């Protein structure tokens, strides 16, 4: 059974749609853009877990423009994941969208407005399922900064605003994502948001850490309600969403939507649990997932990753999610430790298919001890 065939959706069909950043979404919990993580198979998994919309990884506009010149070929993998035939560029692959994904926001990055617009035109010409164009103005990583992109744009507000103005002309909602601006930057976070919104951004997502903080320390959660009050309905929140309570706090503070990032990778069921916490009718299968259900999700996810990115990436991604699955079951520690040594998808899949032996073995042990 593939994910697309799962019989029960997490949300009841009766749930109404809400307006966020020029889109009509099923709910305000969105999967954040995560480089190296939010590949199509993972976005599909979180769509099934209830994400109202999902983001691609940040995609290099320069990379897209380079791939325009490359021949398009389909990717195939050898038994243990060696790529046999390659198709286009990495940037190009990031644009693929799977059947069953929630609305997909393509997040782009570039250091100047011309490259941004040409990259966006290429993206829209290649992938008709994109519903909004994200702009990364938040990434603090040196390889992005040295191109003048990511959070470097916080130092160059005029370029950032021009990017928004010119992307708006392409006809889709534009979703810049920024970080908190420290006093050393030319504009405050408030003034930067105002500039982006005046330039036509449909919403601005703010991660309440400065670029220098990267992912350390705590996100400034008090910043978001202040911005939401200044720009009602136009601000989305990101930062330290590890619990349902934190997501609700952002929404109650007036944010239009909340992005789940590391919290959702550490605990995939944070999505359905938080939806239930917010009052959405969530099917019990997702609120209290059985080990069998969790296993089938992981296996389908692994197969989807394998088909799109190859078995080597499937092993990495499934192991990453495994740490948040089967929580509280006896024997899970042993299963994770055994999985850590596995390098082939075939072997890992086999282990998951029979993982109940770990849980049963543990139960027997605890029975002996008592
Ligand atoms: C591995 C990783 C990759 C990320 N990649 C992106 C990205 O491509 N684009 C972006 O705007 N933010 C990116 N982020 C930032 C997240 O979207 C999010 O804003 C940040 O993790 C704060 O949320 P959290 O504290 O709830 O994790 C990334 C974060 C991590 C940990």
């Amino acid at each position: 059974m593939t994910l697309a065939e799962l019989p029960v959706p997490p949300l009841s069909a009766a749930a109404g749609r809400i307006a966020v950043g020029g889109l009509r979404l099923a709910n305000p919990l969105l999967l954040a853009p995560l480089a190296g993580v939010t590949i199509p198979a993972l976005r599909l998994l979180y769509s099934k877990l209830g994400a109202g919309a999902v983001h691609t990884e940040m995609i290099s506009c320069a990379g897209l423009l380079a791939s325009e010149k490359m021949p398009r070929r389909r990717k195939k993998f050898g038994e243990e994941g060696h790529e046999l035939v390659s198709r286009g560029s990495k940037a190009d692959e990031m644009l693929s969208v799977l059947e069953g994904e929630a609305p997909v926001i393509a997040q782009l990055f570039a250091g100047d407005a011309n490259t941004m617009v040409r990259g966006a035109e290429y993206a829209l010409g290649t992938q008709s399922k994109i519903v909004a164009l994200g702009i990364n103005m938040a990434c603090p990583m040196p390889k992005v900064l040295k191109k003048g992109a990511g959070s470097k744009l916080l130092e160059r507000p005029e370029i950032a605003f021009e990017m928004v103005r010119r992307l708006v002309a392409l006809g889709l909602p534009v979703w810049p994502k920024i970080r908190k601006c420290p006093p050393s930057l030319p504009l405050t976070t408030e003034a930067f948001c105002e500039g982006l919104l005046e330039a036509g951004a449909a919403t601005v997502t703010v991660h309440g850490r400065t670029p220098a903080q990267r992912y350390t320390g705590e996100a400034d959660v008090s910043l978001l309600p202040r911005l939401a009050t200044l720009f009602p309905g136009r601000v989305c929140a990101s930062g330290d969403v590890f619990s349902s309570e934190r997501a609700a706090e952002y929404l109650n503070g007036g944010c239009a939507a909340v992005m789940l990032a590391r919290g959702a990778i550490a605990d995939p069921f944070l999505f359905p649990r938080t939806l239930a916490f917010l009052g959405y009718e969530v099917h019990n299968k997702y609120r209290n997932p059985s080990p069998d259900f969790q296993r089938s999700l992981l296996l389908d996810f692994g197969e989807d990753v394998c088909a799109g990115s190859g078995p080597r990436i499937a092993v990495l991604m499934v192991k990453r999610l495994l740490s948040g699955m089967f929580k509280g079951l006896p024997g899970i520690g042993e299963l994770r430790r055994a999985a850590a040594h596995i390098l082939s998808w075939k072997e890992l899949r086999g282990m998951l298919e029979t993982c109940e032996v770990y849980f049963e073995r543990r139960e027997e042990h605890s029975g002996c001890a008592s």
Side-chain angles (χ1 to χ4, degrees):
M1 186 170 64
T2 68
L3 271 175
E5 290 162 352
L6 279 175
V8 191
L11 286 185
S12 79
R17 302 241 143 204
I18 55 159
V20 179
L23 304 174
R24 304 287 302 170
L25 303 180
N27 69 72
L29 298 187
L30 319 184
L31 180 65
L34 294 166
V37 180
T38 50
I39 59 174
L42 187 119
R43 300 194 310 257
L44 177 60
L45 172 66
Y46 284 85
S47 301
K48 298 295 173 186
L49 289 167
V54 293
H55 280 82
T56 64
E57 310 174 62
M58 60 176 179
I59 305 174
S60 158
C61 286
L64 286 177
L65 295 175
S67 74
E68 212 171 5
K69 300 181 189 111
M70 289 186 198
R72 297 289 197 85
R73 287 174 297 171
R74 193 144 280 292
K75 210 169 191 177
K76 285 195 195 135
F77 299 99
E79 188 48 31
E80 285 311 313
H82 307 294
E83 204 176 300
L84 300 177
V85 185
S86 201
R87 160 191 179 270
S89 72
K90 174 94 179 103
D92 211 14
E93 269 174 59
M94 290 176 181
L95 284 175
S96 57
V97 172
L98 295 175
E99 196 59 43
E101 285 192 53
V104 178
I105 299 143
Q107 196 197 54
L108 305 175
F109 73 95
D112 66 89
N114 276 339
T115 310
M116 173 61 68
V117 173
R118 285 172 52 223
E121 282 169 343
Y122 175 83
L124 296 180
T126 308
Q127 181 49 264
S128 60
K129 291 184 181 157
I130 295 167
V131 297
L133 292 167
I135 309 180
N136 187 320
M137 301 186 181
C139 181
M141 295 308 176
K143 69 174 185 189
V144 173
L145 299 183
K146 82 171 184 250
K147 296 189 172 109
S151 61
K152 195 74 184 168
L153 289 166
L154 301 178
E155 296 172 25
R156 305 153 76 218
E158 286 316 320
I159 309 239
F161 303 160
E162 188 193 344
M163 278 180 181
V164 172
R165 264 193 302 275
R166 293 188 52 193
L167 281 202
V168 167
L170 301 183
L172 287 189
V174 175
W175 285 43
K177 180 164 177 284
I178 69 169
R179 281 184 174 238
K180 175 181 170 173
C181 302
S184 56
L185 289 180
L187 296 182
T188 61
T189 318
E190 287 82 349
F192 202 92
C193 284
E194 188 175 12
L196 293 171
L197 292 168
E198 275 176 1
T203 181
V204 181
T205 301
V206 182
H207 173 191
R209 284 187 177 83
T210 63
Q213 276 182 285
R214 293 200 177 182
Y215 298 98
T216 61
E218 285 181 12
D220 179 350
V221 288
S222 66
L223 172 66
L224 271 302
R226 283 208 311 276
L227 295 170
T229 309
L230 283 174
F231 312 110
R234 308 288 297 278
V235 176
C236 295
S238 173
D240 289 348
V241 185
F242 293 98
S243 66
S244 304
E245 288 79 2
R246 175 54 56 81
E249 212 178 299
Y250 280 134
L251 293 172
N252 292 337
C255 296
V258 178
M259 311 243 170
L260 277 60
R262 290 171 299 173
I265 301 303
D267 176 6
F269 288 92
L270 183 60
F271 263 103
R273 250 198 347 272
T274 304
L275 286 168
F277 186 81
L278 295 173
Y280 285 86
E281 242 180 79
V282 176
H283 197 280
N284 188 44
K285 186 169 182 156
Y286 292 81
R287 272 188 291 121
N288 298 300
S290 66
D292 264 0
F293 180 52
Q294 297 187 53
R295 186 208 350 233
S296 81
L297 281 177
L298 260 190
L299 284 170
D300 289 346
F301 168 62
E303 289 297 327
D304 287 339
V305 180
C306 203
S309 310
R312 194 179 63 80
I313 306 294
V315 170
L316 292 174
M317 296 291 272
V318 167
K319 281 189 197 173
R320 196 161 188 173
L321 290 197
L322 187 58
S323 59
M325 305 291 254
F326 307 113
K327 278 192 172 145
L329 280 180
I332 176 60
E334 210 178 315
L335 173 70
R336 285 183 198 136
R337 280 191 293 280
H341 299 291
I342 292 182
L343 297 176
S344 99
W345 168 237
K346 226 166 138 183
E347 207 185 323
L348 186 58
R349 187 180 56 202
M351 176 191 231
L352 287 170
E353 278 164 351
T354 56
C355 66
E356 60 276 3
V357 297
Y358 284 87
F359 308 144
E360 285 159 8
R361 217 185 290 159
R362 248 320 159 90
E363 269 163 12
E364 277 167 24
H365 285 181
S366 49
C368 290
S370 63

